[in-house]
Amino acid sequence: MIITEIAACKKSKDRCNIYCEDGFVCALFFDTVLEYKLKPRLNIDNKQMEKIIFEDDCKRCFMKGCYLLSIRSRGEKELREKLKEKGFEKPVIEIAMDMLIKRGYIDDYAFATEYVEYLQKKGYGSFAVKQRLYQKGVDKEAIEMVMSEISKDDNINAAMEYGRKAYVRALREEDCYKRRNKFIAAMGRHGFDYSIAKDVYENLEKESKDD
């Protein structure tokens, strides 16, 4: 294959289009072009070109991964799925992910810790937190480590945070028995066990009567 033209991409300033006698071949990063000394009239083996394209795709996938992580933290599984959605092939994703992990950009424990803090501020209980971490594909060992660090006080504070909202909604129910059941059911859906839901309800009932 003979390269006939190398032209800058209109939509991406750091990439350029490669053309041969049969037309468009691919788009590559400028530094890839410089690294392999690609230029017009160069006769390059097809297999060598495929290797260059693959390496460039890995670099592009890595950079896309860095960009996605700059928006917000993500677990390893979630990032893999996101890169797949962006059109990258599995072999390319595997190499890019390996690069990200080795550089410390992906850390399931750090992600899980940050995500747990976010969920607790939203008023989710331990059970719901654990389930959501599993849904995110966080490594099992990382989940166990993070969950072991959640104190009883943290869980109670999260329960009170959500409980106040659930209590306001439950007050629409005039029957006290139904109101209590409605509240406890809402707390259960948010990941709190019966004993915590019961204690929170009793505390909020007491606060309501004191007011």
Side-chain angles (χ1 to χ4, degrees):
M1 178 177 68
I2 298 175
I3 296 175
T4 57
E5 182 183 0
I6 298 176
C9 293
K10 293 181 179 179
K11 293 184 178 180
S12 182
K13 295 180 180 179
D14 59 348
R15 291 175 69 77
C16 54
N17 295 322
I18 309 297
Y19 297 89
C20 72
E21 60 269 26
D22 295 325
F24 176 77
V25 177
C26 64
L28 300 172
F29 286 108
F30 274 112
D31 57 357
T32 300
V33 173
L34 293 174
E35 179 183 352
Y36 287 96
K37 300 177 181 179
L38 302 180
K39 57 185 178 180
R41 295 189 296 278
L42 176 68
N43 191 348
I44 184 168
D45 180 79
N46 287 345
K47 287 187 177 181
Q48 176 65 6
M49 194 66 199
E50 288 174 5
K51 177 179 178 292
I52 293 171
I53 293 171
F54 178 79
E55 290 180 1
D56 193 81
D57 282 345
C58 292
K59 188 187 301 181
R60 185 164 59 90
C61 186
F62 170 79
M63 292 179 69
K64 177 59 73 173
C66 290
Y67 171 73
L68 291 170
L69 290 169
S70 73
I71 297 174
R72 66 171 176 82
S73 297
R74 300 170 193 266
E76 183 178 339
K77 182 182 177 182
E78 182 186 0
L79 186 58
R80 285 180 187 276
E81 292 174 349
K82 194 67 178 178
L83 291 171
K84 185 178 179 181
E85 288 176 13
K86 295 296 181 181
F88 293 102
E89 297 294 332
K90 186 177 179 179
V92 170
I93 293 174
E94 290 301 319
I95 290 176
M97 290 295 294
D98 187 57
M99 293 166 64
L100 290 164
I101 292 169
K102 285 180 177 178
R103 286 164 174 75
Y105 295 160
I106 298 176
D107 183 334
D108 268 11
Y109 172 75
F111 167 71
T113 301
E114 183 179 326
Y115 193 51
V116 166
E117 290 176 0
Y118 167 78
L119 291 174
Q120 286 187 314
K121 288 178 182 178
K122 289 288 185 179
Y124 283 94
S126 295
F127 179 75
V129 167
K130 192 171 185 178
Q131 288 297 108
R132 289 190 171 221
L133 287 172
Y134 275 117
Q135 290 169 7
K136 286 286 187 180
V138 176
D139 177 73
K140 185 177 179 180
E141 185 177 343
I143 291 176
E144 294 303 324
M145 287 177 63
V146 172
M147 294 305 297
S148 69
E149 294 169 1
I150 297 177
S151 69
K152 185 178 179 180
D153 287 343
D154 288 337
N155 204 36
I156 291 174
N157 289 336
M160 288 299 295
E161 176 73 24
Y162 179 70
R164 294 185 189 283
K165 300 173 185 177
Y167 187 71
V168 171
R169 292 193 292 270
L171 285 175
R172 298 169 188 168
E173 183 61 63
E174 294 182 4
D175 183 272
C176 61
Y177 179 76
K178 291 182 179 179
R179 180 167 64 241
R180 181 178 181 275
N181 286 346
K182 183 176 181 179
F183 175 87
I184 290 176
M187 293 292 286
R189 289 192 294 273
H190 242 243
F192 299 102
D193 62 36
Y194 175 82
S195 62
I196 289 179
K198 174 176 161 294
D199 289 345
V200 170
Y201 182 78
E202 290 174 356
N203 287 334
L204 292 172
E205 280 277 274
K206 187 176 181 300
E207 285 183 9
S208 179
K209 289 176 183 178
D210 290 343
D211 290 342

